């Protein structure tokens, strides 16, 4: 089973989720998405697997959210995805992907539902 985690090592929830996976015998491929942001197609697939819209997966307290006026309801899905690609810090974490499914590790135990 191939498992991937969009990980930020500075985030406690991300570290907890990674440890939880390892504790359950899963050695995921670690994607440090701040260093290598997902491309448009990958982000769209992840959103679809999560059943979320871009704004649902955004960290709204980040300065980039306010500075780019991303709360503007007239912004399209593609514009919000573009903002997430340009500013990967906006992407909520951690995200675990396996077998065509994805889960947001908030709380970390949610990822166990897909492995």
């Amino acid at each position: 089973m191939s498992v991937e985690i969009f990980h930020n090592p500075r985030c406690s929830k991300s570290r907890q989720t990674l440890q939880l996976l390892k504790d359950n015998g899963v050695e995921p491929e670690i994607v440090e998405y701040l260093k290598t942001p997902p491309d448009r197609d990958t982000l769209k697939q992840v959103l679809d697997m999560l059943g979320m819209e871009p704004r649902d997966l955004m960290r709204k307290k980040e300065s980039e959210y306010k500075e780019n006026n991303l709360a503007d309801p007239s912004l399209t899905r593609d514009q919000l995805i573009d903002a997430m690609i340009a500013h990967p810090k906006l992407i909520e974490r951690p995200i675990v992907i396996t077998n065509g499914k994805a889960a947001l590790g908030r709380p970390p135990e949610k990822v166990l539902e897909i492995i």
Side-chain angles (χ1 to χ4, degrees):
M1 165 173 59
S2 170
V3 179
E4 186 175 62
I5 181 171
F6 283 24
H7 179 61
N8 177 352
R10 296 184 62 203
C11 170
S12 64
K13 292 288 185 215
S14 197
R15 290 191 310 269
Q16 290 170 9
T17 301
L18 179 58
Q19 189 59 52
L20 182 65
L21 289 170
K22 289 181 176 186
D23 290 348
N24 281 274
V26 176
E27 283 296 330
E29 176 186 341
I30 298 170
V31 176
E32 289 192 35
Y33 69 96
L34 295 177
K35 293 179 181 176
T36 55
D39 62 23
R40 167 179 291 286
D41 289 340
T42 300
L43 197 49
K44 282 183 172 185
Q45 288 174 347
V46 168
L47 286 165
D48 290 346
M49 285 186 275
L50 289 168
M52 293 181 164
E53 288 302 315
R55 200 172 275 121
D56 301 330
L57 193 60
M58 286 182 148
R59 299 175 56 82
K60 296 171 185 70
K61 293 181 182 175
E62 296 293 343
S63 59
E64 290 85 351
Y65 188 84
K66 296 173 186 81
E67 291 166 3
N68 291 286
N69 196 27
L70 297 175
D72 180 349
S74 71
L75 292 174
T76 66
R77 185 175 202 260
D78 282 338
Q79 288 172 312
L80 293 171
I81 289 171
D82 287 342
M84 294 168 82
I85 293 167
H87 308 282
K89 188 177 180 184
L90 290 169
I91 302 171
E92 189 61 84
R93 65 205 176 238
I95 301 168
V96 173
I97 304 163
T98 186
N99 297 325
K101 298 177 185 174
L104 182 61
R106 295 196 168 263
E109 294 75 21
K110 282 204 64 97
V111 303
L112 295 177
E113 296 170 7
I114 65 166
I115 61 168

